[in-house]
Amino acid sequence: PGSSEVICGASSSLIDFTPWFDTATDTDMPTMGFQGDYATLNVDDLSPQSGASGRVQEGHDVLTEGGLLKVMAGTYSETTTIGKNLTLTASGNPTIQNLIMNGTGKVMTVGGPFGISGALTMTDGLIATTSTNVITLLDGATANTGATLSYVDGPMKAMHSAATAKTFNFPIGKSGTGWRYATLSLNQTSASAT
C-alpha cells in the first residue's frame, strides 16, 4: 500500500499494461480524472495483450499525430499498419512481424534499428531511415517494391543465411528525387549469414 510500484497477486500476470504513458503529466487539470499525454507512449512485448490488435498497433492507434512511440526490445508477432506521422524508436533491437506503411502523405521516422521477420509492405507514405536507424529484413522476410509515393527514404538491410538463391526487393528512394527501388538477386553457396 502507498508507495509500491510492483503489481503483485494472483491476477498480476493478467494486467495489460501496454501502451503506457512516458510521463505522469495531467494535460487538462480542470477536467475530472487523469488526462494523459498521448504524445509519447511505450510498448513492450512482455505485457499480456487483451485486445484484438497487437501491442505496437495499439500504441500507434492512440498516439497523437506526430508523436513518439517507444518500442522495447522483443518480438512482436503482429501486423502493424502505420497511418500517421510518428517516430518509432527502439530499445534494443525489436522485431515486428509485418509492417505496412499506409498513410497518404505520412512519414514514419525510424529512431533505432528494427527487424522485420515477415513482410514490409509499402502502400502509401514514407519510412525515413538513417545508417544507424535502419530497418532490416530478417532471414526469410520479404518486401514489395514500393510505389511512387511510398518507399523507404534512406538505407535498409536484408539478411540471408541459407545456401540458396534469394531475390530481395528494396523499396527505397530519396526525398526530392523520388522512388528508385532496387532488386538484388543473391546466389549464396554457404549457410552463413550475409
Side-chain angles (χ1 to χ4, degrees):
S3 64
S4 178
E5 294 179 4
V6 176
I7 300 171
C8 297
S11 297
S12 64
S13 65
L14 303 176
I15 297 172
D16 180 350
F17 61 85
T18 192
W20 71 88
F21 297 115
D22 203 54
T23 66
T25 303
D26 191 329
T27 60
D28 190 3
M29 290 296 284
T31 301
M32 294 292 286
F34 180 76
Q35 305 300 313
D37 182 356
Y38 289 86
T40 303
L41 297 174
N42 300 273
V43 296
D44 196 327
D45 74 330
L46 297 177
S47 171
Q49 189 64 12
S50 61
S53 64
R55 294 166 185 87
V56 179
Q57 186 67 58
E58 183 181 10
H60 166 277
D61 292 349
V62 297
L63 186 72
T64 303
E65 176 77 24
L68 175 65
L69 186 58
K70 297 179 178 181
V71 181
M72 302 300 130
T75 300
Y76 298 85
S77 298
E78 64 182 84
T79 296
T80 301
T81 301
I82 305 297
K84 61 175 72 170
N85 291 314
L86 63 87
T87 299
L88 200 66
T89 64
S91 172
N93 291 304
T95 298
I96 299 173
Q97 184 176 12
N98 299 307
L99 182 65
I100 300 169
M101 184 67 206
N102 191 17
T104 303
K106 304 298 183 181
V107 177
M108 180 185 90
T109 302
V110 177
F114 280 89
I116 304 293
S117 63
L120 172 63
T121 306
M122 303 299 297
T123 304
D124 205 348
L126 304 179
I127 296 177
T129 63
T130 67
S131 59
T132 54
N133 300 320
V134 66
I135 290 177
T136 301
L137 298 176
L138 300 176
D139 203 12
T142 62
N144 67 347
T145 58
T148 304
L149 299 175
S150 192
Y151 53 86
V152 176
D153 184 3
M156 61 181 292
K157 298 178 181 179
M159 293 178 63
H160 182 59
S161 62
T164 60
K166 171 82 174 171
T167 298
F168 295 100
N169 289 319
F170 292 92
I172 55 176
K174 185 170 174 72
S175 187
T177 305
W179 170 51
R180 302 285 190 263
Y181 78 90
T183 299
L184 174 67
S185 293
L186 180 66
N187 190 4
Q188 181 132 326
T189 57
S190 74
S192 59
T194 300

